């Protein structure tokens, strides 16, 4: 089959995909599929990405197209209805980074509670080899409150058990079977905030979860607890977070995402586009004061970014194409 890959910007990805698709004619374009780069008219498969929308117009130009496979989880850049009307099937990458983000969550938790950043700074920047003011907290026996027990949250639960932590969780759709297997209980959000030494967020951002942590519930947090956010910035009201840090309710926070990032739909955008409005973000960060606080760690939306997670995206894409070619497509998405 003739397959056109758009927005493949790193050379290793070309070799990686070619190896996994023997017998197919794969063509790679670093450009996105747009008015300037019309689709390859005789391609039977298009592998698209966030900046390569599949529209009516693209479909009209891609006369041989039978299958679209996007190298993303989200598929809002694809007109599913138009594809359906033309008999073009569409697949996505439903997940790729659940353990990846959970591992990063623990990297942040440990960095925060064991003061790794100031410890490294002590030596590298201050040239002093002492542990004054660097005392941390054990994780063993402490309570971790996991908000959202989906793909990532479940890995966090398992990892927390490995540290001999007590786990409690909040999720409007509790997975009781998993809770039983892992030996933890679901509570209300309020109970979770009151009881947890570490609170970690793993829920999607949507109207119902906007400012899930807010001025009305921030006071419920256990004094001296820490908050970890690797999900989406908009889940936490930044001014309430600042208040909790300044008033000593929170001993610290580790954030891989910021509220102003709300417009970033998919982690993978960051690889091709960088952070939009970088200067603007810096200003907002400064405004928020968070960046200057010793007990706050901020990282640049990096939790998903491992070689293995990126390889999983390409593996799933190659599998999607092979399954389609074999007549039994997988990971299909349909118009609702
Ligand atoms: P998932 O869909 O598998 O799980 C989400 C869970 O949240 C589900 O169990 C759902 O029931 C629960 N939920 C929904 N509404 C809730 C609410 N109001 N309160 C509590 N729980 C609620 O998603 P996932 O794969 O575990 O990912 C979680 C989030 O992590 C993603 O939505 C994404 O925003 C974020 N993420 C961040 C990075 C990064 O690089 N920082 C990478 C991947 C994902």
């Amino acid at each position: 089959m003739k397959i056109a890959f758009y927005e493949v910007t790193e050379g290793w990805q070309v070799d990686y995909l070619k190896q996994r698709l023997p017998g197919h004619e794969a063509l790679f374009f670093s450009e996105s599929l747009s008015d300037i780069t019309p689709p390859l008219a005789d391609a039977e498969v298009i592998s698209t990405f966030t900046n390569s929308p599949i529209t009516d117009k693209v479909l009209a130009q891609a006369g041989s197209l039978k299958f679209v496979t996007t190298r993303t989880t989200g598929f809002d850049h694809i007109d599913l209805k138009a594809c359906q009307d033309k008999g073009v099937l569409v697949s996505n990458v439903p997940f790729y980074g659940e353990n990846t983000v959970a591992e990063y969550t623990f990297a942040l938790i440990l960095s925060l509670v064991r003061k790794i950043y100031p410890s490294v700074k002590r030596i590298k920047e201050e040239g002093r080899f002492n542990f004054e003011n660097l005392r941390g907290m054990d994780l063993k026996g402490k309570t971790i409150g996991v908000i959202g027990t989906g793909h990532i949250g479940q890995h966090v639960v398992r990892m927390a058990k490995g540290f001999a932590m007590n786990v409690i969780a909040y999720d409007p759709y509790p997975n009781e079977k998993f809770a039983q297997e892992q030996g933890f209980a679901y509570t209300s959000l309020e109970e979770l905030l009151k009881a947890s030494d570490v609170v970690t967020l793993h829920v999607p951002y949507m109207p119902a979860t906007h400012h899930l942590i807010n001025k009305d519930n921030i006071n419920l947090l256990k004094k001296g607890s820490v908050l970890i956010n690797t999900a989406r910035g908009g889940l936490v009201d930044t001014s309430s977070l600042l208040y909790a840090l300044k008033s000593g309710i929170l001993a610290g926070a580790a954030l891989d995402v910021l509220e102003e990032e709300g417009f970033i739909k998919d982690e993978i955008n960051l690889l091709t586009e960088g952070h939009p409005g970088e200067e603007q973000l810096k200003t907002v960060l400064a405004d928020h004061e968070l960046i200057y606080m010793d007990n706050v760690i901020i990282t640049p939306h990096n939790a998903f970014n491992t070689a293995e997670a990126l390889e999983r995206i390409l593996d799933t894409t190659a599998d999607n194409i092979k399954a389609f070619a074999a007549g039994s497509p997988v990971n299909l998405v349909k118009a609702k």
Side-chain angles (χ1 to χ4, degrees):
M1 278 192 322
K2 195 162 191 166
I3 310 158
F5 286 88
Y6 292 91
E7 293 182 70
V8 175
T9 52
E10 295 177 23
W12 69 269
Q13 299 190 352
V14 172
D15 300 335
Y16 195 91
L17 285 164
K18 273 187 177 165
Q19 269 173 23
R20 275 151 191 82
L21 293 166
H24 295 290
E25 188 187 350
L27 292 127
F28 295 89
F29 302 90
S30 56
E31 301 88 4
S32 56
L33 191 52
S34 65
D35 290 344
I36 309 147
T37 321
L40 213 62
D42 58 347
E44 293 156 277
V45 177
I46 284 181
S47 174
T48 182
F49 203 53
T50 46
N51 276 336
S52 296
I54 303 291
T55 58
D56 255 345
K57 192 176 164 195
V58 167
L59 290 167
Q61 290 173 322
S64 309
L65 186 64
K66 295 186 181 68
F67 181 52
V68 171
T69 181
T70 181
R71 302 190 303 284
T72 57
T73 304
F75 39 84
D76 46 302
H77 53 301
I78 301 172
D79 187 337
L80 292 177
K81 176 77 175 54
C83 287
Q84 204 169 298
D85 291 347
K86 238 199 133 205
V88 171
L89 297 180
V90 179
S91 287
N92 73 339
V93 179
F95 40 81
Y96 61 87
E98 42 199 82
N99 69 291
T100 307
V101 176
E103 287 171 19
Y104 198 85
T105 301
F106 266 91
L108 290 180
I109 295 172
L110 288 164
S111 296
L112 203 57
V113 304
R114 297 308 304 269
K115 298 190 166 57
I116 301 296
Y117 178 68
S119 299
V120 172
K121 208 169 141 200
R122 175 77 44 98
I123 310 248
K124 282 206 179 197
E125 289 179 26
E126 298 166 18
R128 295 190 294 130
F129 198 88
N130 70 44
F131 50 71
E132 199 185 330
N133 295 327
L134 294 177
R135 182 156 308 143
M137 170 184 100
D138 275 358
L139 289 184
K140 184 180 174 195
K142 297 293 187 308
T143 297
I144 184 168
V146 181
I147 303 182
T149 52
H151 290 103
I152 296 169
Q154 289 185 24
H155 279 271
V156 169
V157 169
R158 289 194 193 93
M159 289 175 196
K161 287 284 176 185
F163 282 95
M165 298 184 81
N166 305 317
V167 177
I168 54 174
Y170 166 68
D171 194 307
Y173 308 98
N175 183 341
E176 293 296 353
K177 187 168 171 273
F178 178 70
Q180 231 171 13
E181 278 165 16
Q182 294 297 320
F184 73 90
Y186 283 98
T187 67
S188 66
L189 179 60
E190 290 70 25
E191 286 306 317
L192 181 145
L193 298 179
K194 281 184 204 165
S196 302
D197 300 291
V198 178
V199 174
T200 183
L201 290 160
H202 304 287
V203 303
Y205 179 65
M206 51 191 173
T209 58
H210 174 72
H211 288 181
L212 193 67
I213 308 292
N214 55 55
K215 66 177 174 29
D216 296 327
N217 61 19
I218 199 103
N219 282 306
L220 298 176
L221 282 163
K222 186 171 173 180
K223 195 168 162 47
S225 58
V226 295
L227 179 72
I228 315 296
N229 190 2
T230 56
R232 283 295 181 271
L235 297 171
V236 181
D237 171 34
T238 308
S239 55
S240 301
L241 173 61
L242 256 182
Y243 154 76
L245 287 161
K246 283 183 178 173
S247 62
I249 299 173
L250 278 173
L255 316 168
D256 186 46
V257 285
L258 295 164
E259 204 169 346
E260 288 64 32
E261 276 194 308
F263 49 85
I264 296 171
K265 289 191 220 130
D266 197 311
E267 280 65 39
I268 214 74
N269 284 5
L270 299 174
L271 287 178
T272 47
E273 294 166 33
H275 285 93
E278 227 165 306
E279 281 310 309
Q280 192 191 355
L281 270 181
K282 257 186 224 160
T283 315
V284 182
L285 263 182
D287 284 350
H288 283 168
E289 298 174 41
L290 290 169
I291 199 166
Y292 299 116
M293 299 181 87
D294 286 338
N295 53 351
V296 177
I297 296 173
I298 299 177
T299 57
H301 202 139
N302 193 35
F304 75 104
N305 192 14
T306 66
E308 292 82 357
L310 297 173
E311 284 182 6
R312 279 195 289 276
I313 290 174
L314 300 187
D315 287 341
T316 303
T317 301
D319 289 347
N320 286 350
I321 292 169
K322 285 192 270 192
F324 173 76
S328 30
V330 293
N331 297 324
L332 289 176
V333 290
K334 294 201 174 82
K336 288 215 171 107

